[in-house]
Amino acid sequence: MKFVFVRHGESEANIADFINDDPHRQVALTALGRRQAESVAQDLKEFGFVRAFASEFLRAQQTAEVILAHHGCRLELDARLNERRSGMDGLPTAAFNDLVRPDPVNIRPPHGESFVEQMERLAAFLDEMAGTAEGTVLCVSHENPINAVRALAGLAPDKAAREKILNCGWIEVTWPPTQTGEP
């Protein structure tokens, strides 16, 4: 089965440079984020999505809704697509980055999850969804979970954990993987 993972558009947290890993705290897209979502919607217009998922975060849902204006499927929420849990909600993003920099794959914040734990969460999602239907599934998520998917698809976890994905950047992944290498 094919999956298209899209990072949400620019959010208020991106502009203010703070961590938002609590889905109950509503952080919306900016005007630029909406334009980014409209642009990626055009890029993905030809995909025939059979299902569509977003994380529980408002910014991911808003991005997905813009993309789905060109498709006939209903948006479903799945917590497994949520941002990596850090337990550092509201702190500057540098606080998390400084903490995990020595070993971004295995370091687990005191009230969060490691990259490896995040990979396990995403693998469970992919395994469950892979057997549900034929076709392509849209997943709107966040940089860290998408990097976890890239690691699951064959990119070295240490490299994947350090990768940057632009707002509304996207990847296509076949699951289960048919070959190793960078997705």
Side-chain angles (χ1 to χ4, degrees):
M1 174 172 260
K2 290 190 188 278
F3 293 85
V4 171
F5 279 84
V6 179
R7 182 181 179 200
H8 61 80
E10 180 187 77
S11 73
E12 296 163 346
N14 294 139
I15 293 298
D17 199 25
F18 68 86
I19 297 167
N20 175 226
D21 67 355
D22 178 359
H24 297 103
R25 183 150 64 106
Q26 301 291 301
V27 175
L29 292 177
T30 64
L32 174 58
R34 287 199 173 278
R35 289 192 302 275
Q36 290 168 332
E38 291 165 2
S39 178
V40 78
Q42 290 301 315
D43 294 343
L44 301 176
K45 198 173 182 179
E46 301 304 316
F47 279 88
F49 296 121
V50 296
R51 291 184 80 180
F53 294 89
S55 78
E56 296 176 310
F57 289 81
L58 178 62
R59 60 192 179 270
Q61 294 168 39
Q62 290 173 326
T63 302
E65 289 166 0
V66 172
I67 295 169
L68 290 177
H70 300 286
H71 302 275
C73 50
R74 176 179 61 85
L75 181 61
E76 302 173 58
L77 304 184
D78 196 304
R80 293 172 293 184
L81 297 175
N82 283 0
E83 181 60 276
R84 180 174 171 183
R85 291 183 298 274
S86 70
M88 302 170 80
D89 191 77
L91 295 177
T93 55
F96 174 79
N97 293 336
D98 291 346
L99 175 70
V100 301
R101 185 171 289 115
D103 185 357
V105 174
N106 297 300
I107 289 177
R108 182 181 186 270
H111 302 288
E113 67 184 337
S114 70
F115 189 75
V116 170
E117 291 169 320
Q118 184 179 38
M119 287 174 61
E120 292 167 357
R121 175 166 48 101
L122 272 294
F125 172 81
L126 291 167
D127 287 342
E128 181 183 322
M129 292 305 125
T132 62
E134 293 294 319
T136 304
V137 175
L138 172 67
C139 301
V140 181
S141 188
H142 310 268
E143 183 176 58
N144 280 305
I146 295 171
N147 282 335
V149 168
R150 294 178 76 211
L152 291 165
L155 186 61
D158 187 61
K159 181 174 180 176
R162 296 177 191 275
E163 290 287 310
K164 298 291 179 204
I165 298 174
L166 297 176
N167 291 108
C168 282
W170 61 280
I171 64 166
E172 188 174 348
V173 174
T174 300
W175 194 261
T178 54
Q179 60 186 9
T180 59
E182 185 171 339

